[in-house]
Amino acid sequence: MTGVDHDVRRLLDLLAGGASSEQLAHAGAADPKATELALRIHATLTAHRRREAELTALFDTASDLARLRDPDAVLRSIVRRARTLLGADVSYLSLNDETAGRTYMRVTDGCVSPLFKEVILGMGEGLGGLVAQSARPYATPDYFRDERFRHTSPIDEAVRDEGLAAILGVPLSLGGSVIGVLYASDRTPRDFTPDEVALLSSLADHAVIALDNARLLDEISSHSAAMHRAEEAHDRLMDLVLRGGDVPEVAAALAGVLHGSIGLFDAAGEELAHAGTAPPAPDPEVVAASRSTGRSVAGDDSLVCAVQAGPELLGSMVLAGRDALLDADRRLFERAAVVTALLLLLRRSVAKAEEEVRGELLTDLLTAPDRNPGALLARAGRLGVDLTEAHAVLLAHAESVSRARLAVAAARHATLAGIHAEEVVLLVRGDDPDAVAARTAEALTAAVDTPVTVGAAGPARGPVAIAGAHAEAVRCLRALLALGRSGDGASAAGLGFLGVLLGDRGDLTGFVRRTLGPVLDYDERRGTDLIGTLQAYFAAGGNSTRAKEALHVHVNTVVQRLDRVASLLGDDWQQPGRALEIQLALRVHALHA
């Protein structure tokens, strides 16, 4: 075994044993590339484990809500998970007492200060007061240096006694009011990311559900039948989440329970799913009203509820075909919006993880196809992509939209798509790259509402051939842009003689056949010499009289032969661009005759 092999095996052993990035970096490998690859693998595994932990926690929280019997236990679980998922030193939840005009601690996790656990805040004081007033999340990297909110001695003393520095607070919104705040805090300065804010907001929504459910159980005890139905339906919805159900299943389940038509829409108003008669997309102003109140709002012959995770609008839900709803049914409709928000967040997380995996595969496929072709084939197979099948390799380019948006649109038309070397690359099954390019350019132009130019090559099978086709597709795209053919899609074959000059394959015979094939076939079948007539005609500068002297025939014979050529090649055969290709094909044919 060589020293390099020994280093690689040692790195693999460290990875398998869960070694840290510092241990990998200091493993002493002689091959820096192996160390770099090991660190990349470690980073990917760490990110995947983090996402898995977040999703598991959200599922567990949803399961707690589905089995809700003790709201305090659910709140303790949510606060504990918030601390774990955000890697915070302390997490806690405060509730407002509107009657007494104060805010008190309901649940804490990680606190060591008795003073902090028992602190009572006046309404509007501290960072929590700012969150309650604005109904928006707020974060401070260093509490005592932040002047955006009202500092008071009792709060500052409690925060100092607990030793906190960085604090993130998100509102617990019920109806049009904030009933409390969920916090995550660190004892050292820290900036909280948008993803962490969204995650804590989602957990806060679950806490609101727990509190609201507890209140509803007390308020509507006289309506036990309706409440039982609501609980049963909620259990059914949460069971869908736990079983990996999708948005259409939620729509169908909710329509069955509420005996109406359900429509689910994304933030842009595009339909995601419907059950029953498809209701129209809701008015954006109605969605905005629901979003601001946190409750369902009446629309045109329908009920509309915003689907949101904290401050982020994910979509909307519409109920149509019902005259009136009991309060329990309306609450169920609103809870279903929270379930839908959870599903959309989960789907987005899964899509993001899959996009990263596909992007890494595409990069390795195009930069190092011969390093380990078998591994590339296996990785692609796990994503449902068979690289041994014939694929056209496409590059898509648009001037006025971002590459990220173009890549999202391209993914709908490809077996594998991503961004590589500042361009959007697609692998599309097919044996005719020219036709695939034209079709894809048209589809992407419609999707992003701006001209999309697509250069293509192929068909290619296997990693090495695909990488080679990618290089040719790059040249083809550059040629299309240089020729001013923005919004077109073509391969080297579709570019005619320019494709012959640009392509790696030197397919001169194919070029001659594509250009002169009908004339060559006619001569072979009839024993004529239309090819010779064309050569004489072009040699005479397009003058039939001079051509007849070279052919030793009457000028009318030349005219008749050229009419036959027009019927075979099309009436535009003498147009400058077409004529140039025909003359080049005649020269190549003469050289190979």
Side-chain angles (χ1 to χ4, degrees), residues 214-259:
R215 183 179 65 84
L216 286 174
L217 287 170
D218 292 335
E219 287 182 354
I220 62 173
S221 58
S222 60
H223 304 285
S224 58
M227 197 63 218
H228 176 72
R229 183 162 60 88
E231 285 184 346
E232 187 177 84
H234 192 246
D235 286 350
R236 182 178 175 188
L237 292 176
M238 297 313 302
D239 183 59
L240 285 175
V241 176
L242 298 174
R243 289 190 293 102
D246 206 349
V247 175
E249 294 179 79
V250 171
L254 193 59
V257 171
L258 297 179
H259 305 291

Side-chain angles (χ1 to χ4, degrees), residues 14 17 155 180 199 232 240 266 290 297 334 364 396-397 423 500 527 558 572:
L14 288 171
I155 300 175
L199 179 60
E232 187 177 84
L240 285 175
D266 65 15
S290 173
V297 176
E334 292 166 357
D364 292 344
H397 176 86
E423 293 291 356
V500 175
V558 175
D572 65 340

Side-chain angles (χ1 to χ4, degrees), residues 115-317:
L115 179 62
F116 188 81
K117 293 179 182 179
E118 298 173 2
V119 66
I120 296 177
L121 294 71
M123 298 294 284
E125 296 176 350
L127 183 143
L130 185 60
V131 173
Q133 287 176 348
S134 63
R136 294 173 53 193
Y138 271 89
T140 176
D142 195 337
Y143 173 83
F144 289 103
R145 294 178 180 273
D146 200 326
E147 299 299 329
R148 290 178 300 167
F149 42 82
R150 187 171 139 209
H151 289 266
T152 65
S153 295
I155 300 175
D156 287 358
E157 288 176 8
V159 171
R160 188 175 288 109
D161 194 55
E162 186 63 44
L164 300 180
I167 303 176
L168 166 63
V170 299
L172 275 65
S173 299
L174 180 62
S177 62
V178 176
I179 63 172
V181 179
L182 178 62
Y183 302 85
S185 304
D186 261 6
R187 295 190 171 91
T188 56
R190 164 184 177 177
D191 289 315
F192 292 94
T193 68
D195 284 344
E196 290 171 331
V197 174
L199 179 60
L200 192 63
S201 297
S202 182
L203 290 170
D205 288 340
H206 284 80
V208 169
I209 294 173
L211 293 166
D212 194 32
N213 279 352
R215 183 179 65 84
L216 286 174
L217 287 170
D218 292 335
E219 287 182 354
I220 62 173
S221 58
S222 60
H223 304 285
S224 58
M227 197 63 218
H228 176 72
R229 183 162 60 88
E231 285 184 346
E232 187 177 84
H234 192 246
D235 286 350
R236 182 178 175 188
L237 292 176
M238 297 313 302
D239 183 59
L240 285 175
V241 176
L242 298 174
R243 289 190 293 102
D246 206 349
V247 175
E249 294 179 79
V250 171
L254 193 59
V257 171
L258 297 179
H259 305 291
S261 297
I262 295 292
L264 299 177
F265 302 86
D266 65 15
E270 295 294 325
E271 183 182 293
L272 298 174
H274 74 268
T277 303
D283 187 321
E285 293 185 2
V286 177
V287 177
S290 173
R291 183 182 182 186
S292 64
T293 62
R295 299 295 303 274
S296 55
V297 176
D300 294 334
D301 300 321
S302 64
L303 194 65
V304 179
C305 190
V307 177
Q308 54 189 343
E312 182 181 1
L313 179 67
L314 301 177
S316 59
M317 177 182 292

